[in-house]
Amino acid sequence: MSNIPTRTIVPTHELEGYIKAKVDSGHGANASEVVRAGLRLLIERDHKAPRSRRAPSCKKADA
């Protein structure tokens, strides 16, 4: 069995339609591939964004 964690997400009707359209057009074999591609784009964008605009770090600040 795989060690890959699973998540349950509930997309809006609009996002579900977008995901379905991407799969139907061949831009992903399934919904999971489409969502992972979107997350990769967010990660890429965050790495390019100025530090003040990035998502908060999970690391605790040194005391």
Side-chain angles (χ1 to χ4, degrees), residues 32-46:
S32 291
E33 283 189 8
V34 173
V35 171
R36 283 193 297 267
L39 290 171
R40 284 190 295 271
L41 287 171
L42 283 172
I43 290 167
E44 182 180 318
R45 184 190 71 183
D46 286 348

Side-chain angles (χ1 to χ4, degrees), residues 3-54:
N3 290 347
I4 298 173
T6 60
R7 302 283 184 265
T8 300
I9 63 166
V10 182
T12 62
H13 291 293
E14 180 182 11
L15 289 174
E16 184 61 35
Y18 184 81
I19 292 168
K20 184 179 181 330
K22 285 298 198 183
V23 172
D24 291 348
S25 68
H27 287 96
N30 54 49
S32 291
E33 283 189 8
V34 173
V35 171
R36 283 193 297 267
L39 290 171
R40 284 190 295 271
L41 287 171
L42 283 172
I43 290 167
E44 182 180 318
R45 184 190 71 183
D46 286 348
H47 285 283
K48 290 179 180 179
R51 192 142 180 86
S52 63
R53 290 187 47 210
R54 289 187 189 169

